[in-house]
């Protein structure tokens, strides 16, 4: 029978990702496919943008000093010399003159500002200016967006849709990104049955397999190895194949105290145990191990603690393997709207939601799966607190 001889602090579970290095393997993707992928290298701009000074408004390009003193009662009168369209090459203007421009038009080469069309009026061959402008007002200067040779995206940044727009504007059709880690997912337990079978008092359907597969798809390639009964030989066969073909192994069930729990023994045969058992609720039996740079996580059997520790520990590990420099769980703070009780000496992780800008805990048993669908985040109750009162500040972990 497995016994928890020494329970580790919850912080050690959060720091588990520090034991691993990114997988130094990449693929090249089109800019249309980059969202939520991690840049494999620093991406440098090949030119400056804009290529020339451009107008940021519709209006009239001028010498800014010639607008000084303009007002509604005493407008400045400038000769209209022509129009600079967006696709036209820059032209020059003469003193005492102005050129009509549109948003995005290149500025006439020797002008230094644009009067907004709302502050001007065309009168025959002249334009009346009703408001003065400062030097380079309403102008996007050459290279002001980004300069040639500047870093657009740093190595290890998770690319979002805004980044993809920047890369496309900079002329990048393809970008190198880290390969997603391949994760072997194994559900264990004699009580788990396929969905086509009839459920009974002593049997349950596998909730953890779909939970983990869907939970990691943004960060990894999920390979579901199916349901393995509590048999050491079956686990060893799956394990051996997973270690040869995958970058990470997630197992659910089989890590709690029990005579037929072979997870720890199998991991020791192939790798090493780093921690088994934590001062945390839920998730005390969480198991963390590894073989070289391959993380091995044994989740508890109940889906609720699996959700929590997949979010806080599992996804952090996958982010690290996938090259993401920001691999730790996303956190925030808020004001508690109701008191919450705990047991000193352990961290309590309680699901919650926000109501009227207050943090409200959702309290229930660990196997109430429906609770998670109502939660917006996870509330952390520190190990040195027995009660946190209404109005106190708490730390929350956001769902990834």
């Amino acid at each position: 029978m497995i016994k928890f001889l020494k329970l580790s602090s919850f912080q050690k579970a959060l720091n588990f990702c520090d034991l691993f290095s990114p997988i130094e393997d990449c693929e090249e993707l089109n800019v249309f496919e980059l969202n939520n992928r991690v840049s494999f290298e620093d991406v440098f701009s090949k030119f400056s943008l804009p290529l020339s000074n451009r107008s940021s408004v519709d209006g009239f390009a001028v010498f800014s000093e010639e607008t000084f003193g303009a007002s509604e009662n005493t407008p400045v009168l400038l000769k209209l010399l022509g129009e600079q369209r967006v696709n036209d090459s820059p032209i020059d203007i003469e003193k005492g003159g102005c050129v009509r421009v549109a948003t995005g038009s290149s500025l006439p080469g020797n002008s230094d500002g644009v009067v907004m069309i709302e502050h001007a009026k065309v009168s025959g061959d002249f334009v009346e200016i009703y408001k003065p402008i400062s030097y380079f007002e309403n102008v996007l200067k050459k290279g002001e967006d980004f300069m040639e040779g500047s870093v657009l995206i740093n190595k290890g940044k998770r690319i979002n849709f805004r980044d993809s727009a920047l890369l496309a504007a900079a002329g990048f059709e393809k970008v190198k990104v880290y390969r997603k880690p391949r994760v072997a997912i194994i559900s264990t337990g004699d009580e788990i049955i396929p969905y086509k079978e009839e459920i009974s008092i002593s049997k349950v359907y596998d909730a953890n397999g779909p939970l983990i597969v869907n939970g990691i798809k943004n960060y990894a390639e999920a390979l579901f190895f199916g349901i393995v009964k509590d048999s050491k030989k079956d686990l060893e066969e799956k394990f051996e194949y997973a270690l040869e073909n995958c970058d990470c192994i997630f197992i659910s069930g089989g890590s709690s105290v029990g005579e037929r729990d072979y997870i720890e023994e199998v991991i020791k045969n192939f790798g090493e145990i780093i921690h088994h058992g934590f001062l945390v609720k839920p998730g005390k039996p969480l198991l963390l191990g590894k073989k070289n740079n391959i993380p091995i996580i044994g989740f508890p059997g109940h889906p609720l603690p699996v959700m929590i520790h997949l979010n806080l520990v599992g996804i952090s590990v996958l982010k690290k393997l996938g090259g993401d420099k920001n691999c730790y769980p996303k956190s925030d703070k808020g004001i508690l709207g109701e008191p919450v009780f705990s047991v000193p000496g352990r961290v309590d992780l309680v699901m919650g939601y926000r109501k009227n800008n207050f943090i409200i805990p959702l309290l229930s048993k660990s196997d109430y799966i429906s609770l998670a669908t109502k939660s917006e985040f996870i509330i952390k109750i520190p190990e040195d607190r027995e009660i946190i009162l209404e109005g106190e500040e708490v730390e929350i972990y956001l769902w990834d």
Side-chain angles (χ1 to χ4, degrees), residues 297-310:
I297 300 181
F299 294 101
H302 290 310
L304 203 64
V306 176
M307 293 177 195
I308 289 175
H309 293 290
L310 177 66

Side-chain angles (χ1 to χ4, degrees), residues 110-376:
N110 53 349
S111 63
D112 58 19
V114 178
V115 176
M116 295 176 66
I117 198 167
E118 296 93 326
H119 303 142
K121 178 183 176 182
V122 177
S123 180
D125 293 334
F126 291 86
V127 177
E128 297 176 3
I129 306 297
Y130 298 109
K131 184 178 179 180
I133 61 169
S134 58
Y135 190 54
F136 281 106
E137 186 171 339
N138 299 320
V139 174
L140 186 61
K141 293 182 183 180
K142 177 182 178 179
E144 192 172 336
D145 199 344
F146 55 80
M147 294 293 294
E148 180 179 352
S150 62
V151 178
L152 300 175
I153 302 293
N154 289 108
K155 178 177 180 176
K157 184 184 190 305
R158 189 167 295 276
I159 299 170
N160 56 46
F161 66 93
R162 301 178 298 281
D163 298 322
S164 64
L166 173 63
L167 291 166
F172 288 91
E173 184 179 4
K174 293 186 176 181
V175 174
K176 288 183 179 180
V177 296
Y178 279 92
R179 172 179 66 79
K180 283 186 176 183
R182 290 184 289 268
V183 182
I185 300 162
I186 305 171
S187 297
T188 69
D190 288 339
E191 75 280 5
I192 301 175
I193 58 173
Y195 306 111
K196 63 183 178 181
E197 292 187 17
E198 188 79 19
I199 196 167
S200 65
I201 293 176
S202 61
K203 300 296 181 181
V204 295
Y205 293 124
D206 179 26
N208 290 333
L211 186 168
I212 297 173
V213 168
N214 287 292
I216 69 173
K217 278 191 175 179
N218 281 339
Y219 309 100
E221 180 186 347
L223 303 175
F224 185 54
F225 280 36
I227 300 169
V228 178
K229 301 301 181 181
D230 283 335
S231 161
K232 181 181 176 183
K233 181 180 178 181
D234 291 344
L235 281 172
E236 285 180 333
E237 290 176 357
K238 296 287 186 183
F239 226 82
E240 186 172 10
Y241 182 84
L243 288 171
E244 292 176 357
N245 295 277
C246 298
D247 307 296
C248 183
I249 301 175
F250 286 171
I251 309 170
S252 66
S255 59
S256 296
V257 176
E259 292 182 353
R260 292 186 300 165
D261 295 343
Y262 301 107
I263 296 274
E264 185 170 14
E265 187 176 348
V266 170
I267 293 175
K268 285 181 177 179
N269 289 342
F270 289 95
E272 60 178 313
I273 302 289
I274 306 300
H275 303 287
H276 189 187
F278 289 86
L279 292 165
V280 64
K281 182 182 179 181
K284 176 182 176 181
L286 181 69
L287 187 156
L288 304 178
K290 72 186 191 76
K291 180 180 181 181
N292 300 324
N293 199 49
I294 300 177
I296 304 166
I297 300 181
F299 294 101
H302 290 310
L304 203 64
V306 176
M307 293 177 195
I308 289 175
H309 293 290
L310 177 66
N311 191 72
L312 301 182
V313 182
I315 288 178
S316 294
V317 166
L318 297 181
K319 286 181 177 179
K320 185 66 175 287
L321 293 178
D324 194 336
K325 288 187 175 180
N326 297 313
C327 59
Y328 293 103
K330 299 175 184 176
S331 64
D332 199 358
K333 294 185 182 296
I335 303 300
L336 200 63
E338 296 178 4
V340 62
F341 298 88
S342 182
V343 175
R346 76 177 186 212
V347 171
D348 270 21
L349 300 172
V350 180
M351 293 189 182
Y353 64 97
R354 199 180 293 272
K355 181 179 180 181
N356 297 327
N357 291 324
F358 288 102
I359 303 299
I360 308 297
L362 284 165
L363 301 173
S364 186
K365 298 179 180 179
S366 66
D367 54 353
Y368 281 11
I369 306 173
S370 61
L371 193 71
T373 64
K374 303 178 179 69
S375 74
E376 299 173 3

Side-chain angles (χ1 to χ4, degrees), residues 35-56:
N35 197 49
N36 210 39
R37 299 303 297 269
V38 179
S39 179
F40 187 73
E41 59 190 3
D42 290 338
V43 180
F44 296 90
S45 58
K46 298 176 285 189
F47 54 83
S48 298
L49 196 71
L51 294 170
S52 62
N53 294 340
R54 291 186 177 274
S55 175
S56 62

